[in-house]
């Protein structure tokens, strides 16, 4: 049931012709309360799309009535005209819902540069039609309407004792041209203040979506949103809520990784015994972004030398001549030299596990990525975007 | 004439079966003096191959009698046995030349992990045969013997008034598995002290080889060496020597870029009007390492949105909504929005020029890279290394 699983939310997904396929392309999710609390985290890319610029202002007071998301156009690098489109989107929704425009978040995903009058007219029509169709079972329709090159919807639900969290996600995996955006909406009927919601969202995002690094490229449109209705009446234990939110975010992140376009492997890079969590992340990311490593995995080649050459580019604490590397359960490298023979490693399954033991501390982190494939090159070179 | 163009040097290149093709695979270059000055810069990757560990010690006193380079095996991650091989290589050369082993540099390139007894025996045979064949015209033979996946030799000569510089290079372009190494040897008959040689080499390398970023991966074996014979008797003007050395390094770097394996475009990313040179480099590198940008160029797609999305990930000073981007002479983006239509850009030639104007200062830098192609994926996934 996705974002409408928790109490207090309604959603819809409609088709207004933004996508040439005629598939649904505008989603609306409304918080019916009693609380109207919201939190969001945005792309760290300094080149931000117009909807990001708008939403960053909306979220400042921690009050969110609704969110409108469109696919079929990113409205990025579309100038002040594009910003006006986003503003009008929020205005139209606010008018129809009887709330303030400054409490309406807007997200867009699609080709960079799309955002003209035709786009604007369709998005506004989508707002009207979407709000007309709002219903408490509309979560899956909303999840469907934000899809771009996703081959499947990505939704998840977390049920606790008396409260729950719902979620939907799109994108982020192997990025098709301009369809790079990761959009996530999480809803909960737990009772939280806006600062609690913000803190929990940042903590959960930090160890899930922030550690999904499919091709090292950071989108201009990424946004992860949490809306809080409080309709359960239950104030959750803080640690329990954070754990639940982290679990649902990790679930959605793995779904995004699994649907990475053109990828043939889902690679999990676990860095252990680092001096700090930040260093574990730095080391994991250096491997996740290394083209020679990712191409080797595509070729089912257990090339631990490339793992060492990748981590050697970081400033993290470790002795390059005293690290261990395991690939799919086989320790192919110990203390910086060869261990088990490469023939023992089977890299043909899609699920790929790399474990790097730095042996200098007790911190760890896992980065998720995908391999570098011919399909990735094809998808990202053949289409304008 | 390459490294033997300047007075005072002899070289040779021989075949000892390190390469399955039977092609030449050991090069020796000897400085006959009167000066025996040397300087070198090494990979910044903390995972260093055994020959790097050796050469870093040799270069500390600024005295270099000769250098031995082998292809057909990188002698990297080969443990203490591999280090012994490097040491014995220097010892054997020293013995035959009547000099100290601590003044013999050693470089290796080839598959990571190659460095067993068979490898050792062949390298030592190569030292003997190479020294037996030393001659003042041996530069091209030496350049030939360090080739791995290079399709052509890379040599250059810089002639000044009374002194000259010669050079040879291999690798660094589109990196084949484990053959990632960039090796460069520069020779000069100018009169320089070891600290002058070191300073000039670092300055020249900083703006040439350090700005060649074909696939973002940093080798375990890279080394750039400068040997000084002083045989011309001429002490050059410092600025003139630095300019000449920089010119020959830039020439060799462009040759490496042009021979990048599997590449179909040689991309020059010039960043202008940055707040500092370091920031210009940071911005250029962010584009050079961006897979979506590189794949777009492979597809002849003038996708300036991806350029902006790439530079937006840096911390350099600029306004993302006020930068200009030119592609092959056409300004496709100005002030962060669309300018000339994309149809005006012809990206079919191999030579590709991107100019990014940050409009915040007067520093600039150029980064060289190549596109992301199917051939790159194929070469780097299909072969163990």
């Amino acid at each position: 049931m996705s974002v409408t699983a928790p109490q207090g939310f309604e959603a819809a997904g409609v088709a207004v012709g933004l996508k040439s396929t005629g598939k649904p392309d505008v989603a609306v999710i409304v918080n019916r309360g009693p609380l109207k609390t919201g939190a969001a985290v945005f792309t760290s890319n300094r080149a931000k799309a117009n909807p990001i610029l708008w939403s960053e202002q909306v979220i400042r007071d921690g009050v969110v009535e609704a969110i409108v998301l469109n696919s079929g156009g990113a409205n990025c690098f579309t100038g002040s005209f594009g910003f006006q489109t986003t503003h009008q989107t929020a205005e139209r929704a606010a008018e129809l819902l009887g709330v303030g425009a400054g409490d309406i978040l807007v997200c867009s995903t699609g080709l960079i540069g799309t955002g003209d009058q035709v786009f604007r007219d369709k998005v506004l029509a989508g707002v009207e039609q979407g709000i007309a169709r709002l219903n408490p079972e509309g979560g899956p329709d909303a999840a469907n309407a934000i899809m771009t090159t996703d081959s499947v919807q990505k939704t998840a639900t977390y049920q606790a004792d008396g409260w729950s969290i719902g979620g939907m996600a799109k994108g982020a995996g192997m990025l098709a041209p301009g369809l790079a955006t990761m959009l996530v909406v999480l809803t909960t009927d737990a009772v939280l203040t806006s600062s609690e919601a913000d803190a929990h969202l940042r903590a959960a995002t930090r160890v899930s979506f922030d550690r999904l690094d499919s091709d090292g490229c950071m989108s201009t449109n990424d946004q992860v949103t949490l809306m809080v209705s409080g309709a359960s009446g239950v104030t959750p234990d803080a640690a329990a809520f954070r754990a639940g939110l982290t679990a649902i975010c990790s679930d959605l992140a793995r779904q995004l990784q699994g649907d990475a376009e053109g990828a043939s492997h889902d690679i999990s890079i676990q860095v252990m015994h680092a001096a700090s969590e930040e260093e574990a992340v730095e080391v994991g990311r250096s491997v996740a972004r290394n083209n020679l490593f990712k191409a080797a995995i595509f070729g089912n080649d257990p090339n631990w030398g490339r793992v060492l050459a990748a981590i050697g580019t970081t400033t993290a604490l470790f002795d390059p001549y005293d690290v261990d590397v395991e690939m799919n359960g086989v320790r192919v490298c110990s203390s910086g030299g060869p261990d088990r023979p490469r023939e023992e490693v089977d890299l043909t399954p899609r699920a790929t596990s790399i474990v790097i033991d730095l042996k200098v501390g007790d911190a760890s982190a896992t980065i998720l990525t995908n391999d570098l494939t011919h399909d990735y090159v094809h998808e990202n070179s053949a289409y304008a975007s």
Side-chain angles (χ1 to χ4, degrees), chain A:
Chain A
M1 283 280 283
S2 181
V3 294
T4 45
Q7 298 175 62
F9 294 93
E10 292 184 6
V14 297
V16 290
L18 283 164
K19 293 200 278 214
S20 52
T21 53
K23 290 188 176 179
D25 43 27
V26 177
V28 183
I29 303 162
V30 176
N31 182 352
R32 297 300 190 188
L35 300 178
K36 302 297 178 73
T37 302
V41 291
F42 305 94
T43 180
S44 57
N45 196 317
R46 291 163 54 203
K48 297 176 198 293
N50 277 311
I52 295 286
L53 296 176
W54 170 262
S55 294
E56 280 183 329
Q57 298 308 312
V58 165
I59 206 63
R60 289 172 67 179
D61 63 3
V63 175
V64 175
E65 293 275 356
I67 184 169
V68 177
L69 311 98
N70 78 275
S71 51
N75 199 14
C76 179
F77 305 137
T78 45
S80 56
F81 183 87
F83 186 81
Q84 278 305 313
T85 296
T86 295
H87 186 195
Q88 289 184 21
T89 302
E91 290 271 350
R92 185 68 54 88
E95 195 181 351
L96 294 166
L97 293 170
V99 299
D103 294 329
I104 308 286
L105 292 170
V106 179
C107 297
S108 298
T109 179
L111 297 184
I112 287 177
T114 303
D116 58 3
Q117 186 68 49
V118 171
F119 172 84
R120 177 186 289 185
D121 293 341
K122 290 179 177 179
V123 172
L124 295 176
V127 170
E128 295 176 3
Q129 295 176 33
I131 286 173
R133 289 180 175 71
L134 286 169
N135 70 93
E137 280 83 42
D141 291 337
N144 192 29
I146 62 171
M147 289 169 63
T148 50
T149 54
D150 311 68
S151 65
V152 292
Q153 285 193 17
K154 288 124 188 157
T155 63
T157 312
Y158 182 87
Q159 203 74 44
D161 210 6
W163 55 271
S164 62
I165 306 173
M168 70 182 196
K170 65 83 54 185
M174 197 58 61
L175 315 173
L179 302 172
T181 298
M182 177 183 72
L183 296 179
V184 180
V185 181
L186 304 152
T187 54
T188 183
D189 49 25
V191 173
L192 299 170
T193 65
S194 62
S195 56
E196 286 169 340
D198 183 75
H200 289 318
L201 183 63
R202 288 181 189 283
T205 302
R206 189 177 68 80
V207 299
S208 60
F209 300 116
D210 284 359
R211 295 192 182 168
L212 175 61
D213 204 330
S214 284
D215 70 350
C217 300
M218 193 189 308
S219 161
T220 47
N221 288 53
D222 290 354
Q223 184 171 326
V224 181
T225 304
L226 171 63
M227 297 166 72
V228 180
S229 70
S232 69
V234 175
T235 299
D237 168 69
F241 185 82
R242 184 165 295 195
L245 188 65
T246 302
I248 198 176
C249 288
S250 299
D251 182 331
L252 289 169
R254 285 213 176 247
Q255 291 185 50
L256 292 172
Q257 180 197 30
D259 197 30
E261 216 175 41
S264 66
H265 288 82
D266 298 327
I267 310 169
S268 158
I269 302 164
Q270 182 186 356
V271 181
M272 300 173 48
H273 300 128
S276 70
E277 196 179 359
E278 290 70 27
E279 292 197 353
V281 171
E282 182 193 0
V283 168
R285 238 187 247 298
S286 74
V287 180
R289 294 183 174 193
N290 187 287
N291 277 343
L292 289 175
F293 164 75
K294 291 151 72 83
I297 298 300
F298 171 57
N300 299 327
D301 171 16
N303 195 324
W304 55 268
R306 292 185 180 179
V307 174
L308 295 193
I311 71 176
T313 65
T314 71
T315 56
L317 179 68
F318 64 86
D319 177 351
Y321 305 103
D322 192 19
V323 296
D324 296 351
V325 179
E326 247 184 54
M327 302 179 92
N328 281 1
V330 177
R331 195 175 66 185
V332 285
C333 164
S334 62
S335 303
D339 193 332
R340 304 304 307 163
R342 13 172 322 115
E343 293 70 33
E344 286 185 20
V345 185
D346 177 14
L347 284 174
T348 52
R350 186 178 174 107
T352 308
S353 160
I354 310 293
V355 180
I356 303 166
D357 188 343
L358 299 182
K359 306 184 189 177
V360 294
D362 55 17
S364 66
T366 297
I367 302 288
L368 304 181
T369 192
N370 300 91
D371 49 346
L372 179 62
T373 65
H374 286 298
D375 284 353
Y376 177 88
V377 173
H378 177 74
E379 283 298 332
N380 289 300
S381 59
Y383 300 100
S385 107

